[in-house]
Amino acid sequence: MTVRWLEDVRSTDIGTVGGKGASLGELTAAGLPVPPGFVVTAETYRTFLETTGIDDELFDTLAVDGGDDLAEAAETARELILETPVPEAVREEVLGAYRRLGEQSTETAAETETAAETDSDSSGEPFVAVRSSATAEDLPEASFAGQHETILNVTGEDLVDRVTECWASLFTERAVHYRNTHEFDHSEVDIAVVVQQMVDADKSGVMFTRHPSTGDSETIVESAWGLGEAVVSGRVSPDHYVIDPETATVTESTIADKKQRMVKDPETGETALESVPDDQRTAQVLSEAEIEQLVEVGGRVEDHYGEPQDVEWALAGGELFMLQSRPITTIADAESTDSAGTVDAESTDSAGTVDAESTGGKAVSTEQSARDASDPVANGGHSDQQAAATDPSAETEDGVLVRGVGASPGTASGAVRIVSKLDHLDQVTDGDVLVSPMTTPDMVSAMQRAAAIVTDEGGMTSHSSIVSREMGIPAVVGTQTATEALDDGQTVTVDGEMGTVSEGGVDDEEPAIHPDPVESVRPQTPVKPMTATEVKVNLSIPEAAERAEATGADGVGLLRIEHMVISLGKTPAQYIADHGEDAFIDQLVDGIRTVAEAFYPRPVRARTLDAPTDEFRELDGGSDEPHEHNPMLGYRGIRRSLDKPDPFRCELRAFGRLFEAGYDNVELMLPLVNDSEDVERAKRLMDDVGIDPAKTRWGVMIETPASALLIEELAGAGVDFVSFGTNDLTQYTLAVDRNNEYVAERFDELHPGVLALIESTIETCRELGVDTSICGQAASKPKMVDFLVEQGISSISANIDAVRDVQHEVKRVEQKLLLDSVR
């Protein structure tokens, strides 16, 4: 059977109509308000493959491992489907169903005297939404949301072509990679296509009938003006409501500044973003009556399915429509530490959680203790290593052997393993305390096995500090002599909060606590403060993506790719010379994709390479790197990228690959930009590799006074966003090298000069419609958070362990501003 009408479909038909089709059929049968439509069945797709004889070639093409091979295979598979003619009998049956749908809609409109369901073009042909519905989609144990094609405002002329595009979307690089990762057999996943009357929505959004993280009894609704695709894709910031489902009372709401909406051209049917009228930008989208209506329908949907639902909805002409409903797949993970993707504290996992007890070490606690909000170190702020380090040569009365900077909170005990050379890394076993002069990206695998990290060198922003915080491993850095004061095999206890390493382990009679580094950062109560100012997370290593995502952050404000590059052990030029450009690009694609997939559809802002020369000099191929007195002021960031465009082109090609694979949540950010000349030269290189800056979200770091003072010029060059890097902006503004012990005490991100540059930049960007963000260490300081929210910054990005504190601080400041405005 080529097509089936929604009113004839039930949940048992998922193998024929896919997850989305089965859900819509169930909703229709339950008497819920669903736009009429039909499904081009999965059997039709399978028959198309077999009768045209392309099935064997298609699945043989996909028998690849990854990298460029996977990208090429996915592209070949899509081309094979798109270039194969659809049999005429199938074409005629699909178009016949489309004509019948148009007739039904016209009759319904005449009976009800409403145009809500009769969206059509000037010739009277109805506009329809064409949506993929894979047979493995929207299942309770897996979510393929956003992977397959949805095309809006289609008419009969293009309908069959759009159906084949949905078939082909089963083989985007992202979809193929997801199925490979989750062990779904490509040949056993079919795809149906839902063809449904378009609703030209005035308002639209999504609704969770239970809290998606905890399963708590509260309904979550997000809404925006226009078509719902903008909300689902993350292109607009919606209003957010937390509602008591028993009373339909709003218990918490955030009314966003809705700058854009997605609409349909009434003549061409093309979907586009347009500016929201000024009087609607900050107006609440939903009325009380509409909220009550949504809650009532949400309750009916949940009752029908018997489990919490994620519902897409639209309002047109005052009439409510359910566009899609699927089970909420995240609640089980939040409720059980034994679910897939959640670390079992009794065993070792790939994210670095260890059962210290089984190897002689004993994990005590990595849960953050209550901290003084004014303490910049506790909140991820800057601290000078010399301020914390004392003479470590003698044990103190309290048993402390060495002191340093508490770089990553938590406490753990285990046997010391001193690593002075890379070939000693295999000596580090699960539950050991890794002690080293300093850590490098080559040591990440050993760090993942360790119960705690201790180093002689380094501060809060060193490699060991960043990686430890992201992985939830206690760390003390900058001890100066830990490798001399501690003995290999000695049992010690590391306190990453206090910055101490003490003699002995935990009393054997004291029960060990095995906290989960993922769960330790997951928002508890309140589950996640809802704020108009987005709170994002900083990330350096893809291995920490799960932990970062668990914070409930609104996206990734800074993904540093230099850690991915340096972990290769070779400079980019040397790696390319030894392995080829494609191998280098594959490394970047794999790293960024890991994070983009974990956060999808929330944005992931990845910064191009910004490693100083002293870090490159330690790598294979780095012998020719210049010796600079202060590498932070030298040959790095965009200036190096423009001077050596070949490796930079490879970075850009990696971004291009991700965009082509469907990762539309990836954003590109350029570091250490001074002026529009830097930007224009970078844009030309983007064009060279096939990235259209006009169709990609991209922006620049504001790290120099020049870039802050020339912000209008940068905005004129077309940037979508700017992000403050406060570490560099502060040292360049104050002429202070923060690594110079003689002047480090003068380093102050809250200096009036620094704040003046930030304030003027935010003000100008708000006038010009450019988003603003901050991703430096100062973003974790309460005073800086207060200042930024009051200035109207778009988002704040903090380190993983500080996200929860920043979320609550942002909410507190926003509520104070609201109260002050009405008093």
Side-chain angles (χ1 to χ4, degrees):
M1 183 178 294
T2 301
V3 302
R4 291 190 62 179
W5 291 89
L6 288 180
E7 61 254 35
D8 300 325
V9 169
R10 298 295 181 270
S11 60
T12 54
D13 297 319
I14 190 168
T16 302
V17 299
K20 191 177 283 94
S23 173
L24 290 169
E26 276 290 314
L27 294 173
T28 301
L32 289 157
V34 178
F38 60 89
V39 183
V40 181
T41 64
E43 180 184 354
T44 304
Y45 159 75
R46 179 61 61 170
T47 302
F48 163 74
L49 298 184
E50 294 174 352
T51 58
T52 58
I54 65 172
D55 51 339
D56 289 340
E57 181 182 357
L58 178 71
F59 298 120
D60 288 345
T61 297
L62 297 170
V64 296
D65 294 328
D68 273 352
D69 290 340
L70 186 147
E72 183 177 347
E75 183 177 0
T76 300
R78 293 194 302 274
E79 289 175 352
L80 188 60
I81 290 176
L82 294 172
E83 294 172 2
T84 300
V86 175
E88 191 61 30
V90 173
R91 178 181 293 271
E92 283 304 313
E93 194 161 352
V94 170
L95 291 176
Y98 168 76
R99 287 189 289 270
R100 180 181 164 191
L101 177 63
E103 293 167 0
Q104 289 179 345
S105 298
T106 301
E107 292 170 2
T108 301
E111 292 172 1
T112 61
E113 297 183 352
T114 176
E117 293 186 67
T118 58
D119 195 12
S120 58
D121 68 2
S122 56
S123 65
E125 281 203 323
F127 285 115
V128 293
V130 181
R131 304 177 187 272
S132 303
S133 181
T135 56
E137 185 174 60
D138 297 342
L139 300 179
E141 67 272 14
S143 178
F144 287 65
Q147 291 187 18
H148 307 131
E149 191 69 83
T150 289
I151 307 161
L152 306 180
N153 301 308
V154 177
T155 57
E157 180 181 1
D158 301 317
L159 178 57
V160 176
D161 290 341
R162 298 298 176 258
V163 170
T164 57
E165 287 178 18
C166 287
W167 289 345
S169 73
L170 197 59
F171 303 104
T172 63
E173 183 180 350
R174 178 175 169 233
V176 171
H177 174 75
Y178 184 91
R179 290 198 296 275
N180 284 349
T181 302
H182 293 81
E183 299 182 349
F184 283 88
D185 188 334
H186 298 295
S187 64
E188 294 183 3
V189 178
D190 291 336
I191 189 167
V193 180
V194 176
V195 179
Q196 199 174 15
Q197 177 73 49
M198 268 298 295
V199 175
D200 192 11
D202 309 313
K203 309 171 182 181
S204 55
V206 295
M207 169 172 56
F208 297 99
T209 62
R210 289 290 183 272
H211 196 288
S213 294
T214 67
D216 286 349
S217 181
E218 51 188 16
T219 300
I220 310 294
V221 173
E222 292 190 331
S223 61
W225 305 111
L227 302 176
E229 181 66 16
V231 177
V232 176
S233 66
R235 294 186 185 180
V236 301
S237 297
D239 289 354
H240 182 98
Y241 311 88
V242 180
I243 306 161
D244 182 341
E246 299 299 324
T247 63
T249 302
V250 177
T251 59
E252 185 176 333
S253 65
T254 301
I255 307 304
D257 183 356
K258 298 165 286 293
K259 300 175 183 177
Q260 295 179 308
R261 62 184 176 189
M262 186 169 280
V263 297
K264 174 183 68 65
D265 185 301
E267 294 299 321
T268 67
E270 293 184 359
T271 302
L273 286 171
E274 71 171 20
S275 297
V276 172
D278 290 343
D279 62 338
Q280 289 185 306
R281 280 184 51 165
T282 57
Q284 179 168 315
V285 172
L286 294 175
S287 67
E288 288 186 11
E290 289 166 339
I291 290 173
E292 291 176 2
Q293 187 180 11
L294 273 168
V295 171
E296 187 269 331
V297 170
R300 289 169 59 191
V301 174
E302 183 174 303
D303 288 343
H304 180 77
Y305 283 108
E307 61 181 327
Q309 294 289 300
D310 169 1
V311 180
E312 293 178 28
W313 57 268
L315 280 160
E319 192 169 356
L320 176 64
F321 294 93
M322 300 288 101
L323 305 182
Q324 182 173 317
S325 184
R326 55 179 171 241
I328 299 175
T329 60
T330 54
I331 292 175
D333 288 344
E335 291 177 341
S336 171
T337 57
D338 294 326
S339 58
T342 304
V343 181
D344 179 357
E346 298 297 325
S347 62
T348 302
D349 87 331
S350 59
T353 305
V354 296
D355 177 3
E357 200 167 35
S358 66
T359 57
K362 185 172 291 185
V364 182
S365 175
T366 55
E367 179 68 40
Q368 289 189 24
S369 60
R371 297 176 298 181
D372 183 348
S374 65
D375 179 2
V377 176
N379 286 282
H382 171 78
S383 175
D384 309 324
Q385 80 177 56
Q386 68 271 19
T390 61
D391 179 10
S393 59
E395 181 179 336
T396 61
E397 290 183 1
D398 56 0
V400 174
L401 300 174
V402 292
R403 298 180 186 273
V405 176
S408 179
T411 305
S413 63
V416 168
R417 290 290 176 262
I418 297 177
V419 175
S420 56
K421 298 179 180 179
L422 292 180
D423 56 10
H424 293 169
L425 290 175
D426 58 356
Q427 298 175 11
V428 179
T429 61
D430 296 340
D432 287 345
V433 173
L434 190 159
V435 179
S436 177
M438 59 182 294
T439 65
T440 68
D442 296 316
M443 301 170 72
V444 169
S445 60
M447 295 173 72
Q448 290 177 316
R449 296 193 296 271
I453 312 291
V454 180
T455 67
D456 291 343
E457 309 296 336
M460 286 294 295
T461 59
S462 65
H463 173 266
S464 53
S465 300
I466 292 170
V467 172
S468 298
R469 284 195 297 269
E470 292 188 359
M471 290 186 168
I473 302 170
V476 176
V477 301
T479 62
Q480 299 182 21
T481 59
T483 54
E484 299 174 5
L486 304 178
D487 297 323
D488 203 66
Q490 178 182 11
T491 299
V492 298
T493 297
V494 178
D495 187 334
E497 189 79 41
M498 301 303 296
T500 60
V501 180
S502 303
E503 173 72 27
V506 180
D507 188 335
D508 291 336
E509 295 181 2
E510 182 179 339
I513 302 171
H514 301 278
D516 184 328
V518 174
E519 294 304 316
S520 68
V521 296
R522 193 184 299 280
Q524 303 297 323
T525 304
V527 177
K528 176 183 178 294
M530 299 304 168
T531 59
T533 307
E534 293 182 328
V535 179
K536 299 180 179 179
V537 64
N538 297 332
L539 195 59
S540 299
I541 53 175
E543 294 87 344
E546 181 191 8
R547 187 167 185 262
E549 192 279 333
T551 63
D554 295 311
V556 177
L558 172 62
L559 173 59
R560 307 173 179 92
I561 72 167
E562 46 266 24
H563 288 269
M564 303 176 204
V565 174
I566 293 173
S567 66
L568 300 176
K570 302 178 181 182
T571 64
Q574 187 66 50
Y575 192 90
I576 291 169
D578 292 346
H579 307 281
E581 290 185 347
D582 289 342
F584 182 65
I585 293 168
D586 286 346
Q587 293 287 344
L588 297 181
V589 169
D590 288 346
I592 300 172
R593 177 169 53 198
T594 297
V595 181
E597 206 156 79
F599 277 84
Y600 195 86
R602 288 169 288 173
V604 172
R605 193 166 288 174
R607 186 180 67 189
T608 58
L609 192 58
D610 188 26
T613 52
D614 58 335
E615 293 187 15
F616 276 133
R617 196 163 50 246
E618 301 299 320
L619 304 177
D620 184 9
S623 58
D624 294 333
E625 289 291 319
H627 288 263
E628 300 177 299
H629 178 66
N630 184 349
M632 301 306 291
L633 285 169
Y635 194 48
R636 53 172 280 235
I638 195 65
R639 56 187 66 166
R640 182 187 181 107
S641 297
L642 296 175
D643 190 53
K644 292 189 173 183
D646 289 342
F648 185 48
R649 283 192 182 93
C650 290
E651 294 178 53
L652 295 176
R653 284 173 57 194
F655 279 94
R657 277 261 306 274
L658 290 160
F659 298 148
E660 291 171 4
Y663 292 94
D664 52 7
N665 62 325
V666 174
E667 301 177 349
L668 188 156
M669 183 159 63
L670 304 172
L672 211 64
V673 166
N674 263 344
D675 49 43
S676 61
E677 181 181 352
D678 288 341
V679 173
E680 294 297 343
R681 290 176 63 189
K683 284 172 64 178
R684 286 194 289 272
L685 290 171
M686 291 166 68
D687 283 327
D688 287 348
V689 302
I691 296 176
D692 184 351
K695 296 180 180 179
T696 303
R697 271 190 64 81
W698 64 282
V700 299
M701 296 284 292
I702 300 296
E703 299 168 283
T704 68
S707 59
L709 294 170
L710 298 176
I711 186 60
E712 288 191 46
E713 182 180 301
L714 294 174
V719 300
D720 296 301
F721 61 83
V722 300
S723 186
F724 298 104
T726 49
N727 289 338
D728 283 333
L729 184 61
T730 300
Q731 67 177 350
Y732 299 153
T733 301
L734 303 182
V736 170
D737 177 357
R738 60 195 176 102
N739 294 319
N740 183 328
E741 62 182 286
Y742 297 105
V743 295
E745 64 181 16
R746 290 178 171 268
F747 185 90
D748 179 13
E749 303 101 321
L750 295 169
H751 188 282
V754 178
L755 297 183
L757 289 173
I758 293 174
E759 179 179 1
S760 63
T761 301
I762 293 175
E763 182 180 0
T764 301
C765 286
R766 291 185 67 183
E767 293 173 356
L768 299 176
V770 175
D771 288 342
T772 53
S773 182
I774 183 173
C775 56
Q777 288 285 84
S780 302
K781 292 186 175 182
K783 288 184 180 179
M784 179 63 86
V785 172
D786 295 359
F787 171 78
L788 294 169
V789 173
E790 289 175 3
Q791 299 306 314
I793 198 166
S794 307
S795 64
I796 295 173
S797 191
N799 295 331
I800 292 176
D801 55 308
V803 167
R804 190 189 309 176
D805 292 340
V806 173
Q807 288 169 338
H808 286 281
E809 183 65 17
V810 168
K811 181 177 180 179
R812 186 191 68 78
V813 178
E814 288 185 349
Q815 289 179 332
K816 180 178 182 297
L817 291 173
L818 286 172
L819 287 172
D820 289 346
S821 68
V822 298
R823 283 173 173 166

